[in-house]
Amino acid sequence: MSVRTTRSDGIGLPTMSRYDLLLILLPLPLLLGACASLVTSLPEPVGIGVGSLPSALLFVYAITAAAPTTIERSA
């Protein structure tokens, strides 16, 4: 018995929610600060400290303004 599949049944790109994007973006400023301290003459604690400030702000935004209010079910 054959089953006819539609185009939507194929393998596609996964959809990303706002929360997935926040989880991806959270460590990026910290990593950029660490890489900047390796490439330049900036001391490591300063580079990581400066990179942690945007990460901390993004974390505060994620747990306050962008906090999930309802449970989203994925298909």
Side-chain angles (χ1 to χ4, degrees):
M1 180 171 153
S2 67
V3 176
R4 179 173 285 195
T5 60
T6 60
R7 194 177 226 328
S8 63
D9 289 340
I11 298 174
L13 295 174
T15 58
M16 289 183 62
S17 71
R18 173 176 54 173
Y19 312 111
D20 294 331
L21 185 61
L22 281 171
L23 285 173
I24 291 171
L25 292 177
L26 198 58
L28 287 182
L30 184 61
L31 290 173
L32 287 175
C35 289
S37 68
L38 291 174
V39 174
T40 64
S41 63
L42 192 66
E44 273 187 38
V46 174
I48 292 173
V50 169
S52 68
L53 292 176
S55 288
L57 290 175
L58 189 60
F59 176 73
V60 169
Y61 169 76
I63 64 171
T64 57
T69 55
T70 60
I71 297 174
E72 294 182 14
R73 304 245 178 203
S74 62

